[in-house]
Amino acid sequence: MASFFIILGGVLPLKKQVVLALLFAVVGVSASHAQTCESNFKVTGVPLITAMNYKTSYVFPKVKADQVLKTLAQAVAAEGFLGIQVDKSLGAIDAYQETTGSGREQTLRIVARKKGAGTRVDAMFNIQQGQVTSEKIVRKGLCDIVMSAAD
C-alpha cells in the first residue's frame, strides 16, 4: 500500500513527495543566500541601560575594496557625520556625530574588505549608555551608506 500526501488539493505518491520536499529545500536555501543590507542588520545592547551597537553588512561581488572608500566617505558625510577619517591601509572610515548637545559622541565605522572577487562592506554605529535612537532610522542610514558602494 502506497503512502500519499495531499498537496494543493491533489494526492501524490510518497516518492514524488520526497522529490518535491528536496526541491523546496534547495529553493529555500538559495533564497536565504540572497541577503540584503536590511536583513543583515543587527542590534545589541539594552536601550538606556547599556551602550547600543548597530551593525550591518553587504557583499558586492564585482566591487574592489580600495575603489569604494571615497564613495563610502562621501555617503558618511551626506548622513551628517563629522570628523571623517579614512584609513586606506585598513580600508576603514571612522566618523562621529553629536546630536544631543551633551558632548557625548555617537561613533561610526565603515570597513571595506576583499571578499572573494568582490568586497564586503561592514557598518557599525554605536551610541553610549543613556542615549536612545530609532532602530528604523539607524537601519536606513547605515544601509544608505553601505549601498552607496554600488554607485
Side-chain angles (χ1 to χ4, degrees):
M1 189 160 144
S3 296
F4 291 94
F5 181 74
I6 300 174
I7 185 167
L8 300 176
V11 179
L12 293 174
L14 184 57
K15 287 182 182 179
K16 287 186 181 177
Q17 291 176 39
V18 172
V19 170
L20 280 175
L22 289 173
L23 178 64
F24 290 137
V26 169
V27 170
V29 168
S30 296
S32 72
H33 288 313
Q35 296 184 2
T36 64
C37 179
E38 290 79 8
S39 68
N40 290 335
F41 184 79
K42 306 224 179 328
V43 180
T44 58
V46 179
L48 295 174
I49 307 299
T50 67
M52 296 292 295
N53 304 297
Y54 303 86
K55 296 180 181 185
T56 191
S57 63
Y58 190 79
V59 176
F60 297 91
K62 297 179 182 178
V63 172
K64 301 234 183 276
D66 59 344
Q67 296 176 346
V68 297
L69 282 178
K70 181 179 178 183
T71 303
L72 289 166
Q74 290 171 332
V76 169
E79 288 292 326
F81 284 86
L82 303 170
I84 300 168
Q85 296 183 0
V86 178
D87 185 333
K88 291 181 182 179
S89 67
L90 293 176
I93 301 165
D94 291 302
Y96 68 88
Q97 64 180 6
E98 198 290 307
T99 57
T100 64
S102 68
R104 298 175 69 207
E105 297 173 348
Q106 301 89 43
T107 60
L108 174 72
R109 172 164 268 211
I110 308 295
V111 178
R113 58 191 160 131
K114 184 175 167 77
K115 175 84 173 181
T119 297
R120 175 182 166 130
V121 177
D122 292 281
M124 294 138 288
F125 179 68
N126 302 301
I127 64 172
Q128 298 182 35
Q129 177 184 2
Q131 296 178 328
V132 293
T133 188
S134 163
E135 188 174 310
K136 182 179 177 182
I137 290 171
V138 173
R139 182 186 311 110
K140 181 184 181 322
L142 287 180
C143 287
D144 284 350
I145 293 168
V146 168
M147 298 312 293
S148 73
D151 295 342

